[in-house]
Amino acid sequence: MIDTPVVRAPSAIVYCEGNFAKIDGKTANGLVRHSQAYRIHSVIDSDKAGQDSGLVLDGTANHIPLFCDLETAVCSGIEVPDTLIYGMAPSTGKLSAKDREVILGAIAYGMNIVSGLHEFLSDDPEITEAAKVGDVSIRDIRKPRPAKDMRLFDGSVSRVNAICIAVMGTDCAIGKRTTATVLAGALNAKGVKTVLVGTGQTGLMQGARHGIAMDAIPPQFCCGELERAIVEAADTETPDVILIEGQGALSHPAFCTSAFILRGSQPDAVILQHAPKRAHRCDFPDMAMPTPSSEIALIEAFSDTKVIGVTLNHEGMADEEIDAAIARYSDQLDLPVTDALARPVYDLVSMVRDAFPVLQPSRSSKRL
């Protein structure tokens, strides 16, 4: 018998200066919670240096430390980590002068670079020249395939046998990807084969096997490129459930991605994520948040689908406030409501199983 060598995921430092555990640090936040593609070595944020990132983010230690700068992070271990990941999602989508220094510093240490910015680092002459000299790679997560290779929507998603569920939201950076990731893990643990299709840079960095960065695709091809990812996931993995990560909000005037996700995925159902304490849209202080009921009405009017439940982002909420919000929205909406991080994962699984009885252990031939 020949032993197959174990290939370890590359190690990575996540750069999130001044933004860890904040909205613009959502990429770093997601990576310390879950990452299949990289072993997260540490996070850079001088505001929180010396602390455990898990304790800062969720109140539970994960032994991924926060450091003040790149040099301290690199010198904290025996070996230089393989990769520097740009772990922020600024509204500009561009690199600052300070960020550039850190990127060039990481290249000088021999680290590969991974970025989810709209500004492609592989097109930057200074950075690409440094990477060439240092013999390191630059991976722009949002860089789409050439237009000649993109495809238009053709309706093939209608032939997918898996149950397709989109996780939408009432705002951007509200926890849609986190809820989808938790739900995918929980369903798989129960024997319901589930695949998550990523639609943003963080999900792809975390290791989603299928997906695209929706907001970097020309609008004409958005629905077709997402359809391609879903069909590929169905054909190659034959799952029971396909979860589609949402982006933005259908009601948000600054983003169109939710519309493309609903059109391209033709979901059988939608789970809606909402933050009860968020007073206004992220980065739009004069734009009030919609109510879950108004967002649900809009989603169901726009697409031939049904919202099967609501999940909460508990930012700014005490535990008793979460209970009160769950009870209030359950009564108002006549839907199951839970919190993917603060309440038992069983509640999230039940939301899906109750909507699709075929997934129930007693009524399915699958091993549940």
Side-chain angles (χ1 to χ4, degrees):
M1 180 177 178
I2 299 175
D3 291 332
T4 303
V6 177
V7 178
R8 299 185 74 195
S11 57
I13 295 173
V14 183
Y15 176 64
C16 194
E17 177 56 32
N19 283 288
F20 185 68
K22 297 180 181 178
I23 288 175
D24 281 356
K26 66 177 187 177
T27 296
N29 303 342
L31 286 166
V32 300
R33 283 183 175 132
H34 171 78
S35 178
Q36 293 176 304
Y38 299 95
R39 292 179 288 117
I40 305 304
H41 169 278
S42 56
V43 178
I44 296 172
D45 185 345
S46 60
D47 291 346
K48 300 175 179 67
Q51 301 183 63
D52 180 282
S53 61
L55 284 172
V56 171
L57 189 61
D58 295 317
T60 302
N62 62 9
H63 308 295
I64 298 174
L66 283 146
F67 290 112
C68 61
D69 55 33
L70 177 64
E71 182 180 7
T72 306
V74 168
C75 296
S76 68
I78 298 173
E79 297 181 347
V80 175
D82 304 297
T83 307
L84 180 80
I85 299 175
Y86 187 91
M88 294 176 283
S91 57
T92 63
K94 297 180 180 180
L95 201 66
S96 71
K98 182 177 180 179
D99 298 343
R100 175 179 290 272
E101 291 180 6
V102 174
I103 297 293
L104 292 171
I107 291 173
Y109 277 116
M111 300 173 70
N112 300 313
I113 305 298
V114 175
S115 169
L117 292 168
H118 286 291
E119 176 186 2
F120 301 141
L121 303 188
S122 57
D123 292 339
D124 184 292
E126 182 183 22
I127 291 174
T128 53
E129 178 60 26
K132 181 180 179 181
V133 171
D135 193 26
V136 301
S137 65
I138 299 173
R139 182 187 178 201
D140 285 307
I141 298 294
R142 272 190 166 115
K143 197 167 193 176
R145 72 180 87 232
K148 66 181 180 65
D149 297 326
M150 293 183 188
R151 50 162 279 183
L152 297 170
F153 182 86
D154 62 14
S156 56
V157 72
S158 66
R159 299 193 291 274
V160 170
N161 290 323
I163 295 167
C164 292
I165 302 172
V167 182
M168 311 297 287
T170 53
D171 197 10
C172 60
I174 204 167
K176 298 179 286 288
R177 184 199 67 257
T178 297
T179 290
T181 301
V182 171
L183 178 56
L187 287 171
N188 277 309
K190 293 294 183 181
V192 180
K193 187 175 181 181
T194 303
V195 173
L196 173 58
V197 172
T199 58
Q201 74 275 13
T202 306
L204 299 176
M205 286 182 190
Q206 288 176 318
R209 295 186 297 277
H210 305 278
I212 54 170
M214 288 284 291
D215 59 4
I217 305 294
Q220 184 179 10
F221 297 106
C222 276
C223 294
E225 285 293 281
L226 178 59
E227 181 182 47
R228 181 213 297 260
I230 292 170
V231 170
E232 285 179 352
D235 289 347
T236 60
E237 307 205 37
T238 59
D240 303 313
V241 175
I242 296 176
L243 297 178
I244 301 97
E245 174 196 4
Q247 296 292 323
L250 185 60
S251 62
H252 203 310
F255 307 107
C256 295
T257 41
S258 287
F260 294 131
I261 287 169
L262 286 170
R263 292 291 197 231
S265 69
Q266 300 286 294
D268 299 294
V270 168
I271 293 172
L272 183 70
Q273 179 93 359
H274 180 64
K277 282 292 190 77
R278 190 176 292 190
H280 59 80
R281 306 271 199 176
C282 175
D283 295 324
F284 293 85
D286 298 324
M287 194 180 295
M289 285 284 290
T291 63
S293 59
S294 68
E295 196 74 26
I296 289 169
L298 183 60
I299 288 169
E300 294 183 348
F302 183 83
S303 179
D304 183 17
T305 192
K306 188 75 175 174
V307 175
I308 60 171
V310 173
T311 50
L312 302 182
N313 176 329
H314 58 259
E315 60 186 33
M317 300 176 71
D319 199 62
E320 60 272 14
E321 291 178 301
I322 300 172
D323 286 335
I326 289 173
R328 181 172 73 255
Y329 289 127
S330 296
D331 182 60
Q332 289 177 359
L333 304 171
D334 193 27
L335 287 171
V337 180
T338 189
D339 184 316
L341 294 178
R343 290 297 175 265
V345 73
Y346 171 82
D347 296 341
L348 196 57
V349 172
S350 294
M351 184 183 290
V352 173
R353 280 180 160 170
D354 289 347
F356 297 98
V358 68
L359 300 175
Q360 294 286 356
S362 60
R363 300 179 65 175
S364 172
S365 60
K366 301 179 180 72
R367 181 180 58 82
L368 301 178

